[in-house]
Amino acid sequence: MLDFASLATVAIVGLSMRGDRPSNQVARYLQGQGFEIIPLNPSATEILGQPCYPELAAVPQGKAIDLVAVFRRSAAVLPVAREAVERGARVLWLPEGVVDQRAAALARKAGLTVVMDRCLKKAYKAWLADGNKEVYDVLIIGAGPAGLTAGMYAARSGLRTGVFEGIIPGGAVVSTALIENYPGFAEPIAGAELMLRFLAQAQRFGVDLITENVLQTGLRGHLKRVETAEKVRYARAVIIAGGAKARRLGVPGEERFTGRGVSYCATCDGALFRDKKVVVVGGGNAAVEEALYLTRLAAEVVLIHRRDQLRAVKLLQERAFAEPKLRFSWDTVVEEIGGNQAVELVRVRNVKTGVITEIPCDGVFVYIGYSPALEYLAGQVAKTPEGYIAVDATMATNVPGVFACGDIRNTPLRQVATAVGDGAIAAAAVDKYLVFRQ
Ligand code: NAP
């Protein structure tokens, strides 16, 4: 069966202005389902609110045409089929009673899918009903502050909303011990606790939390396809809020000892190193905050940084320098993580002197930034040179109906407060996008 989800634009040759004509009824139905209709009729300039063209060749060249439906006599189909091939259409559709074997052969030879003598509306309805397809208004990939806020706003404005979360809701914030700069919370709040409150609020408005990993997406069509190992779901719009993954050092021993001394989450694993010695790698806010957190558990913490000054904000630096349990190893990079069953040492190199030394330790916490988690997008949306998703001020990507917000986008600041603002804007933009298309 033809995968209708991947189709976005439908050109209707012979689209009548009269509401009682089959061409008009089919077009109106498909428009209501979210397809973009391109009317073709030499005696009209606008039909169903869309600019109308006399023939396929007159449609602006930049406009992709996915399906061409020909509501004409069978004898008039052949030249239209030629034009459809020329315009790079993917499907040629001839409604009930319209048959032309020569036109069909020509189109098939050029790689088009050809359907003849079948009602497009009935076929689409049958496709929708096949396998009980789950169709959402919006599916949101990622349940961190951006995704949950977008979900809350979308569900609250009446959209059927699903939010995907791979393992636990809350995203990277869950691994933050304490957050003290989220407005409204005068006392610091644990990242996990804050995210549980976000989740409860989103669910109160009817968000479906889908605890499955997104593996693949098809974003081009009028219905976006989101696939997990368990299921395929569809949505009229998608918000990508998958955040960023902890960056790896990429040194020998890192992979082998992950979970056996190497960690990317002090809140999750810090308690395993009570009264032991740990190193933290990095010099940004995350490294300094988590190093300070670890001083409450570990006997000694060494912060290894590749430069001789921290990137973290001044307040954190002052706290770090005042903390007696925290030592610094400046101008130093990790070359290798060593041990037998678990981590026993890191081999480090001073970048100024080249001298290699070993620091004995039980744990290595890596906080060297994040990179956007984009695997399931397979290059379908435009990115910045730094690899983040490029969006405009409404969080819209270059693909119609696809939005992105939070850490995964081209933002100047990656904070809970900014992610929340992004999420609200993205949901409002989706709402507008869906209303505009009905
Ligand atoms: P970050 O600000 O990008 O800092 C990454 C640190 O790791 C930098 O010090 C960098 O060194 C170092 N680094 C990068 N690659 C490295 C490598 N291969 N080997 C050794 N060191 C390496 O990342 P972050 O601290 O994880 O923070 C991520 C984002 O979350 C930031 O926007 C941050 O402001 C935000 N955040 C905010 C808070 C807060 O506001 N309280 C808390 C946590 C995170 P250089 O300095 O030499 O570049």
Side-chain angles (χ1 to χ4, degrees):
M1 196 184 259
L2 177 66
D3 176 22
F4 278 101
S6 66
L7 308 175
T9 49
V10 173
I12 305 215
V13 180
L15 174 50
S16 170
M17 282 176 282
R18 286 176 45 188
D20 61 339
R21 307 299 298 156
S23 61
N24 191 290
Q25 287 167 354
V26 168
R28 235 178 316 135
Y29 170 76
L30 293 179
Q31 197 175 40
Q33 292 297 315
F35 287 96
E36 183 185 350
I37 300 297
I38 304 175
L40 292 131
N41 179 338
S43 52
T45 52
E46 192 188 291
I47 303 178
L48 298 176
Q50 299 300 310
C52 183
Y53 305 94
E55 56 193 358
L56 276 175
V59 177
Q61 277 304 320
K63 185 128 215 94
I65 301 173
D66 293 322
L67 184 148
V68 176
V70 192
F71 285 80
R72 302 284 310 274
R73 298 169 285 118
S74 300
V77 171
L78 189 58
V80 179
R82 281 202 193 96
E83 284 185 72
V85 168
E86 233 161 74
R87 283 303 301 239
R90 290 158 53 200
V91 184
L92 178 68
W93 197 286
L94 307 187
E96 277 169 352
V98 184
V99 175
D100 182 342
Q101 298 297 353
R102 264 185 73 202
L106 177 140
R108 283 198 185 106
K109 199 164 163 224
L112 278 75
T113 300
V114 178
V115 181
M116 277 195 294
D117 198 14
R118 267 193 86 190
C119 171
L120 182 50
K121 180 175 166 181
K122 281 187 208 154
Y124 182 74
K125 279 187 168 175
W127 174 81
L128 265 186
D130 183 48
N132 284 325
K133 289 192 177 60
E134 264 191 82
V135 180
Y136 285 81
D137 290 317
V138 58
L139 281 170
I140 299 169
I141 303 174
L148 288 174
T149 304
M152 192 261 283
Y153 270 74
R156 191 166 176 269
S157 58
L159 302 180
R160 185 178 176 204
T161 306
V163 179
F164 285 96
E165 172 51 50
I167 307 161
I168 37 166
V173 181
V174 170
S175 62
T176 305
L178 288 173
I179 294 180
E180 58 179 16
N181 58 357
Y182 187 60
F185 291 82
E187 295 303 318
I189 179 165
E193 160 70 16
L194 182 63
M195 286 302 99
L196 281 177
R197 295 193 194 189
F198 271 53
L199 178 63
Q201 193 177 5
Q203 286 183 313
R204 188 158 75 81
F205 289 109
V207 162
D208 272 357
L209 185 76
I210 308 167
T211 318
E212 293 170 27
N213 250 323
V214 174
L215 299 177
Q216 263 187 25
T217 53
L219 301 175
R220 153 100 177 85
H222 76 293
L223 283 183
K224 319 297 177 194
R225 213 181 62 246
V226 182
E227 287 180 36
T228 69
E230 288 81 4
K231 208 165 179 169
V232 178
R233 293 177 181 79
Y234 296 89
R236 301 182 204 289
V238 162
I239 298 177
I240 305 161
K245 282 185 314 195
R247 214 179 273 155
R248 303 291 191 254
L249 282 167
V251 297
E254 183 179 26
E255 217 179 299
R256 179 173 159 220
F257 291 115
T258 294
R260 286 188 289 155
V262 174
S263 170
Y264 303 86
C265 176
T267 325
C268 320
D269 301 328
L272 302 171
F273 299 90
R274 200 172 286 281
D275 301 324
K276 296 193 170 168
K277 179 170 172 180
V278 297
V279 302
V280 173
V281 189
N285 285 333
V288 174
E289 267 186 3
E290 302 311 313
L292 283 167
Y293 168 73
L294 286 165
T295 60
R296 304 196 334 227
L297 302 161
E300 189 185 351
V301 181
V302 181
L303 190 131
I304 299 174
H305 185 34
R306 64 183 178 183
R307 290 187 297 134
D308 60 1
Q309 48 179 294
L310 298 173
R311 177 183 293 281
V313 295
K314 198 157 164 273
L315 175 77
L316 286 173
Q317 294 200 25
E318 283 166 6
R319 282 190 203 158
F321 296 140
E323 170 53 56
K325 272 192 186 173
L326 183 56
R327 279 202 302 121
F328 295 86
S329 184
W330 301 112
D331 299 315
T332 304
V333 291
V334 175
E335 296 267 293
E336 187 178 351
I337 300 168
N340 287 306
Q341 294 309 308
V343 168
E344 290 172 13
L345 59 89
V346 285
R347 194 161 289 120
V348 297
R349 179 171 53 85
N350 184 299
V351 291
K352 287 193 172 149
T353 63
V355 172
I356 292 189
T357 48
E358 287 179 356
I359 305 176
C361 60
D362 306 291
V364 181
F365 287 86
V366 182
Y367 280 102
I368 58 167
Y370 294 86
S371 39
L374 301 165
E375 299 80 5
Y376 49 82
L377 296 176
Q380 294 173 90
V381 294
K383 288 185 282 180
T384 64
E386 296 76 38
Y388 291 92
I389 298 178
V391 296
D392 66 14
T394 69
M395 308 294 143
T397 69
N398 63 321
V399 181
V402 180
F403 302 78
C405 59
D407 283 4
I408 205 161
R409 77 160 183 103
N410 51 346
T411 174
L413 186 62
R414 294 191 163 79
Q415 297 273 295
V416 181
T418 51
V420 161
D422 273 16
I425 293 171
V430 163
D431 204 21
K432 216 171 191 177
Y433 167 80
L434 292 177
V435 169
F436 184 65
R437 289 183 349 150
Q438 296 304 311

